[in-house]
Amino acid sequence: MEIQVKTYAEYLASGESPEILFWVGCAGSFDDRAKKITRAIVRILDHVGMKFAVLGTEESCTGDPAKRAGNEFLFQMQAMNNITVLNGYNVKKIVTGCPHCFNTLKNEYPALGGNYEVIHHTQLVQELIDAGKLKVQGGAFKGKKITYHDACYLGRANSVYEAPREAIKALDADLAEMKRSREKGFCCGAGGAQMFKEAEKGNKEVNVERTEEALELTPSVIATACPFCMTMMSDGVKHFNKESSVKVLDIAEIVVGGLKE
Amino acid sequence: MSVSSIIFLLLFISASALFIRNIRRVRRNILLGKDEVRNDRKGERWKIMTLVALGQKKMFKRPLPAILHLFVYVGFVLINIEVLEMFIDGAFGTHRVLSFLNFEGFPLYTYMIGSFEIFAFLVTFGCAVFLIRRNITKVKRLVMKELDGWPKSDANIILISEILIMCSLFLMNAAELTTYQRANLLGSMLPVSQYLVPFLSGISDEGLHIIANACWWFHIFGVFAFLNYLVISKHFHIVLAFPNVFYANLNPKGKFTNLGSVTNEVKAMLDPTFTPPPANPDQPMRFGAKDVQDLSWKQLMDAYTCTECGRCTSACPANQTGKLLSPRKIMMDTRDRLEEVGKNIDKNGKFVDDGKALSGNYITPEELWACTSCNACVEECPVNIDPLGIIIDLRRYLVMEQSAAPTELNMMFTNVENNGAPWAFAQSDRLNWKNEF
């Protein structure tokens, strides 16, 4: 059966209201690799039968990259426009596909009038597994060595360290930790609007340094939970010509791989 | 009153007066910063201060330096009890005034002095290892470029002074111990200075008295000098660590400040009926930070609290991959510029434009644009300093006042503005992903 993706507007038109808003984010909407993660998140929501809506063409950048780059005007313009849309639909709960959207919506919107319960998709996965609504099995990942790369805006920025790891453990995979993990996690190099510019002059790319550390563990999979980390780590794996032996997958994609039908 | 009491009291009064004057100067400099509310959630603040400042919780992420630092910290605090006795002796011409605590069958005072010797030994040991780490084994974060010159000397001066001050204690105790043993007065041995006794046995009682006296004065003078050196040195962290952790940011690290001045402008743009509140004539409106006065008082307190340990820089992804940015240098620059502004005010009565600013003269755009805002520096800091907040405020000035963002970031801004995404994709295509199931 084809998966239904409905917008908030469509829900309202049909007289229903969704349980949760899925905030897709710009990378999840436009970046080809991140779009696969978006679809994996949708598969999970669909699998558990959760009534979710997206904003579709009414969604707009949260303003995160503008804010980190110092453009507070542009950030607040984006935030206030988004808040008008979100409050217009009386949105209560949001799940995001991106730690940057998650951080901004959760922490920086309330002072501008946007108060929502905001969770990241890895937290939703953990909630669903804990509640017994999402049943996963090892399958393709059983016994495979997976290392999880902490996203800064999930980890240090918001102290979400365990949810992504719990999902990996639920799959009976062999979770291997890099030397720098959790609070000590080493950035992929994309944060703070670096994603949108060339790196400053240095002697190494940040993502190469981080991927090198991950590859020392000889994992089958490098798990990420952020579309920007995904880009940086995938590029890093290509840099070392390891694409054939090491996959970079989002937690949502890994979970979809282990769904019990 | 004896001559020595008068000399002591003069020293005491002048050292204290100088210290108070310096402290007030630092306080004035910190208060040049903008207002920021940091006295809410008192319960949490006391707790975090107890854990992080008093309990050194974050130091223990790196156990070896943490243990050595604990020796120096605990030793320093406890030996102050002996210093208090020395102050009383100095003021009233007494000799070891607390020795009445040596009770028959329970020589408490001797035990106290003995345990202070053990702590003093641990302080000496810690400082010696720290000197080795800085000057011989050259631990990377302790020999980086930004420490060349004064910062390096500052660190060595502190460590050598502490060793000398402790050694004067040992020698003083050893000289007295030698005299006492000759007169069969002191039965108990002191754990460290007893080993110095054989070296002093050839010296007359008179000579030993002079040595003990000289060491006493050296110690007293050292303590007063150190007290005043603190305030002009990175070592001031021993005082400021406590308030700095108390007033630290308690919000999630990812939550950046929202600029209220911008909110008013944006509201006025979106809603023509909105009237922004009148501007405060005392504080000229500036978006972001050009100079230290544009930062908040807490950011300036952070700068005075920094003891240049470099944990931030050693965790910084930009720095570790050879970029110019060093979060420690951000803090050192902020303090240096604030000191310069302070001297300017001392000289002129108020700040007179010197054509310089924190942005540009001290911290360059290349440093600022290397930051990934990953919060590793904030996480690492044992006294909860936030270099990232300063970096972002300096970026805000570059972007909003100077329109000096890198070209690619300006393109990103344009895309967000026009398409609602950082890339040049049409907003109408935002839901296309659902057609590819």
Side-chain angles (χ1 to χ4, degrees):
Chain A
M1 198 187 85
E2 204 191 319
I3 291 176
Q4 290 290 312
V5 179
K6 285 163 76 178
T7 62
Y8 236 97
E10 286 165 347
Y11 262 103
L12 287 194
S14 66
E16 282 186 293
S17 67
E19 288 171 62
I20 199 163
L21 170 69
F22 173 29
W23 184 277
V24 180
C26 301
S29 302
F30 295 119
D31 179 273
D32 283 335
R33 180 67 188 83
K35 278 196 270 186
K36 292 185 185 165
I37 305 171
T38 304
R39 289 192 286 270
I41 297 170
V42 166
R43 277 185 206 284
I44 294 169
L45 291 166
D46 179 73
H47 182 82
V48 298
M50 187 175 268
K51 274 163 65 181
F52 70 96
V54 295
L55 286 179
T57 55
E58 286 184 286
E59 189 184 282
S60 185
C61 175
T62 58
D64 163 80
K67 188 170 181 93
R68 311 303 141 195
N71 195 338
E72 184 72 9
F73 273 106
L74 183 52
F75 161 71
Q76 292 200 14
M77 289 288 284
Q78 288 298 117
M80 286 192 206
N81 284 325
N82 284 325
I83 289 169
T84 307
V85 174
L86 291 167
N87 289 355
Y89 285 123
N90 198 18
V91 170
K92 297 276 182 261
K93 189 169 180 181
I94 303 175
V95 59
T96 72
C98 168
H100 295 263
C101 300
F102 164 68
N103 175 69
T104 307
L105 290 166
K106 172 176 162 284
N107 293 321
E108 291 162 354
Y109 275 33
L112 299 170
N115 293 287
Y116 322 103
E117 185 194 339
V118 187
I119 56 171
H120 181 256
H121 70 265
T122 57
Q123 293 175 301
L124 181 69
V125 165
Q126 192 192 9
E127 278 177 25
L128 292 170
I129 292 176
D130 289 349
K133 289 180 187 164
L134 187 65
K135 291 194 170 55
V136 290
Q137 60 191 8
F141 300 104
K142 191 170 184 178
K144 287 258 174 77
K145 194 189 264 184
I146 301 182
T147 186
Y148 171 67
H149 161 78
D150 283 279
C152 302
Y153 276 82
L154 208 52
R156 272 188 298 270
N158 289 293
S159 304
V160 179
Y161 298 109
E162 298 312 320
R165 290 180 166 81
E166 288 303 317
I168 295 173
K169 285 180 197 159
L171 287 160
D172 299 322
D174 171 19
L175 175 63
E177 293 289 351
M178 286 183 258
K179 265 183 277 174
R180 293 175 286 194
S181 70
R182 291 195 172 84
E183 288 88 349
K184 284 181 180 293
F186 195 78
C187 179
C188 71
Q194 295 293 337
M195 184 71 194
F196 307 102
K197 62 186 271 295
E198 283 300 310
E200 298 303 312
K201 202 157 58 59
N203 53 31
K204 199 174 191 180
E205 294 298 334
V206 177
N207 66 326
V208 170
E209 164 90 7
R210 182 55 163 171
T211 311
E212 199 171 25
E213 188 178 354
L215 292 177
E216 278 171 21
L217 299 167
T218 59
S220 313
V221 176
I222 297 172
T224 59
C226 168
F228 301 113
C229 297
M230 170 59 74
T231 303
M232 299 310 263
M233 299 306 282
S234 302
D235 287 353
V237 170
K238 275 182 210 139
H239 174 90
F240 290 104
N241 294 314
K242 293 278 185 196
E243 308 101 290
S244 55
S245 56
V246 183
K247 280 191 181 138
V248 185
L249 294 173
D250 189 274
I251 294 289
E253 297 175 304
I254 295 174
V255 168
V256 166
L259 285 183
K260 277 185 187 170
E261 290 308 324
Chain B
M1 195 179 256
S2 70
V3 179
S4 70
S5 293
I6 293 171
I7 295 174
F8 172 82
L9 286 172
L10 283 176
L11 262 179
F12 179 79
I13 291 165
S14 47
S16 307
L18 191 60
F19 181 69
I20 290 167
R21 198 186 129 237
N22 283 334
I23 289 280
R24 291 172 73 127
R25 205 176 150 272
V26 168
R27 191 183 130 85
R28 179 207 63 194
N29 287 356
I30 288 174
L31 293 178
L32 292 174
K34 292 193 295 190
D35 280 351
E36 183 171 14
V37 179
R38 284 291 174 90
N39 53 6
D40 54 339
R41 298 155 78 177
K42 290 253 165 53
E44 274 174 80
R45 294 188 181 283
W46 282 108
K47 195 177 154 200
I48 190 175
M49 190 178 86
T50 309
L51 283 174
V52 173
L54 196 67
Q56 318 248 303
K57 187 180 166 207
K58 289 172 88 179
M59 285 293 288
F60 278 87
K61 290 179 181 177
R62 303 191 193 198
L64 176 74
I67 287 168
L68 295 168
H69 183 269
L70 188 71
F71 288 165
V72 178
Y73 165 62
V74 173
F76 190 91
V77 172
L78 289 179
I79 291 164
N80 276 323
I81 300 173
E82 188 167 356
V83 172
L84 186 73
E85 181 194 36
M86 293 172 94
F87 277 15
I88 299 171
D89 286 345
F92 299 104
T94 50
H95 179 67
R96 292 197 181 267
V97 69
L98 297 181
S99 57
F100 73 88
L101 294 170
N102 265 344
F103 306 109
E104 191 68 43
F106 182 59
L108 175 64
Y109 180 73
T110 310
Y111 290 156
M112 269 168 60
I113 298 297
S115 47
F116 292 152
E117 279 205 349
I118 292 171
F119 285 114
F121 178 77
L122 293 175
V123 171
T124 313
F125 176 73
C127 291
V129 178
F130 287 153
L131 275 175
I132 292 169
R133 282 163 62 86
R134 279 180 186 271
N135 298 288
I136 298 170
T137 59
K138 295 189 189 289
V139 174
K140 196 178 159 205
R141 71 180 156 95
L142 304 175
V143 292
M144 293 174 74
K145 204 176 70 217
E146 68 239 32
L147 297 180
D148 286 352
W150 167 246
K152 185 182 174 176
S153 313
D154 188 17
N156 286 332
I157 289 169
I158 293 161
L159 293 170
I160 293 168
S161 308
E162 287 185 355
I163 290 175
L164 289 177
I165 290 173
M166 293 304 129
C167 286
S168 69
L169 266 190
F170 296 138
L171 191 57
M172 179 178 83
N173 288 353
E176 292 193 15
L177 195 59
T178 314
T179 333
Y180 289 152
Q181 280 179 351
R182 273 180 207 164
N184 282 327
L185 278 175
L186 199 69
S188 309
M189 284 298 189
L190 294 173
V192 178
S193 54
Q194 58 169 307
Y195 297 105
L196 298 174
V197 169
F199 298 101
L200 302 175
S201 55
I203 301 171
S204 67
D205 283 359
E206 184 60 19
L208 291 170
H209 183 69
I210 292 171
I211 290 174
N213 229 331
C215 286
W216 189 90
W217 281 104
F218 182 88
H219 194 89
I220 285 292
F221 195 79
V223 167
F224 286 147
F226 204 65
L227 183 71
N228 279 293
Y229 183 72
L230 271 189
V231 194
I232 57 160
S233 138
K234 76 185 190 98
H235 207 50
F236 202 30
H237 81 288
I238 64 170
V239 175
L240 282 183
F242 295 90
N244 202 63
V245 172
F246 185 83
Y247 292 120
N249 176 29
L250 299 178
N251 292 321
K253 292 189 185 68
K255 179 179 179 175
F256 290 12
T257 53
N258 277 343
L259 282 186
S261 49
V262 170
T263 310
N264 290 331
E265 302 258 327
V266 172
K267 278 188 179 157
M269 276 163 83
L270 294 175
D271 174 10
T273 61
F274 176 81
T275 357
N280 180 355
D282 297 333
Q283 276 190 334
M285 191 155 77
R286 177 169 282 154
F287 299 120
K290 177 189 183 189
D291 211 344
V292 285
Q293 297 96 323
D294 304 321
L295 296 170
S296 80
W297 65 267
K298 180 58 175 59
Q299 289 172 313
L300 300 183
M301 183 187 265
D302 275 358
Y304 272 116
T305 306
C306 176
T307 195
E308 300 165 14
C309 72
R311 281 168 173 74
C312 51
T313 295
S314 73
C316 172
N319 189 279
Q320 292 308 296
T321 54
K323 277 86 176 172
L324 206 53
L325 174 64
S326 162
R328 168 171 57 188
K329 180 178 170 289
I330 300 287
M331 302 318 300
M332 293 168 72
D333 285 341
T334 304
R335 178 177 177 153
D336 288 348
R337 174 58 184 160
L338 182 54
E339 281 287 302
E340 188 175 56
V341 168
K343 284 186 186 127
N344 183 316
I345 295 172
D346 290 339
K347 194 174 143 209
N348 303 309
K350 64 179 176 61
F351 181 69
V352 174
D353 189 6
D354 57 359
K356 291 203 244 172
L358 181 63
S359 174
N361 297 91
Y362 284 81
I363 301 172
T364 59
E366 186 181 338
E367 292 165 70
L368 297 175
W369 293 119
C371 175
T372 69
S373 75
C374 76
N375 264 308
C377 54
V378 183
E379 179 72 39
E380 276 292 316
C381 181
V383 289
N384 288 6
I385 290 170
D386 177 9
L388 177 54
I390 296 179
I391 293 172
I392 294 300
D393 280 337
L394 290 165
R395 278 187 177 183
R396 284 170 172 170
Y397 172 75
L398 288 183
V399 171
M400 291 190 285
E401 297 258 354
Q402 301 220 299
S403 304
T407 317
E408 302 135 295
L409 290 186
N410 278 327
M411 280 161 58
M412 180 266 285
F413 295 150
T414 309
N415 288 331
V416 170
E417 232 174 307
N418 296 337
N419 314 320
W423 300 285
F425 293 110
Q427 192 158 3
S428 55
D429 291 340
R430 238 186 141 93
L431 202 48
N432 290 1
W433 56 267
K434 83 165 186 173
N435 303 329
E436 296 161 48
F437 269 103

